Amino acid sequence: MNRIWLPAAILVATEAQLAVAEFVPGIERFEGKAFGARLIAYPVLMVLVPAIWWLVRRGERPPWGAFALIMVPFLVDVTGNSLDLYDSVVWWDDANHFVNWVPLSLGIGLLVAAGLPRAWQKVVMVAGIGALLAIAWELGEWWTFIRHGTELATAYEDTLGDEALGSAGAVVAGVLTAVLTRPDAVDARP
């Protein structure tokens, strides 16, 4: 069954919210949150893995479910801003750094770690990739917000916490990857 509609719907829903944030003036919750940069960066990041797949593995059936898992954290992030959850729910940012890293890292794990022979190798690979992505994300936040001083007072503690939460989410994704890619579990996967 061709499930391209799922990652396509996630991409469209994300981009539509980003467009509203960028082009509809006067919405206070979007101000100072780099939505102009996100309008470009998020769709590029969302289609990067499917584009690489298409270039490297052309002719093979695309893993639309894995692509959707990689894309959904971007939708959750933008929706959290659209609903003003980052400013109105104290724990929302922390929850996102943990929860969003689970589908992101699981999607990547299903693509790159499924062929590894041992479960522990899958867990370590997915956790490592997820931890690197958590660091890269925090570098992006530093570049976008912190270096200009908008969040300087809480930057160190927030950055370390976000990296730890993202890495913990990646460990959970590593375990899920190991479970979902067991030889006896492959036939049961959606």
Side-chain angles (χ1 to χ4, degrees), residues 50-153:
I52 291 170
W53 178 275
W54 182 80
L55 289 170
V56 174
R57 303 186 80 165
R58 196 175 327 180
E60 292 183 37
R61 190 174 131 213
W64 298 115
F67 296 160
L69 287 168
I70 292 167
M71 293 175 169
V72 80
F74 296 97
L75 175 61
V76 171
D77 176 64
V78 173
T79 303
N81 278 292
S82 293
L83 299 174
D84 200 26
L85 297 175
Y86 285 96
D87 294 327
S88 65
V89 179
V90 174
W91 49 265
W92 182 258
D93 181 63
D94 290 337
N96 272 339
H97 282 279
F98 176 77
V99 173
N100 278 343
W101 252 255
V102 175
L104 174 68
S105 300
L106 177 58
I108 292 169
L110 293 174
L111 295 175
V112 300
L116 294 174
R118 306 221 186 304
W120 70 266
Q121 293 170 325
K122 296 173 187 183
V123 173
V124 169
M125 177 177 269
V126 173
I129 291 170
L132 286 172
L133 290 173
I135 292 167
W137 186 266
E138 290 304 310
L139 287 171
E141 283 191 0
W142 173 81
W143 179 260
T144 308
F145 303 113
I146 298 167
R147 70 185 176 106
H148 297 299
T150 58
E151 297 181 5
L152 208 49

Side-chain angles (χ1 to χ4, degrees), residues 21 25-35 87 145:
I27 303 176
E28 196 173 307
R29 69 178 142 261
F30 299 131
E31 291 177 15
K33 295 188 178 180
F35 273 88
D87 294 327
F145 303 113

Side-chain angles (χ1 to χ4, degrees), residues 151-166:
E151 297 181 5
L152 208 49
T154 59
Y156 183 73
E157 184 178 338
D158 183 64
T159 296
L160 290 178
D162 291 350
E163 287 174 348
L165 289 165

Side-chain angles (χ1 to χ4, degrees), residues 153-187:
T154 59
Y156 183 73
E157 184 178 338
D158 183 64
T159 296
L160 290 178
D162 291 350
E163 287 174 348
L165 289 165
S167 297
V171 170
V172 170
V175 171
L176 289 171
T177 300
V179 169
L180 291 173
T181 60
R182 286 187 333 245
D184 60 326
V186 171
D187 294 333

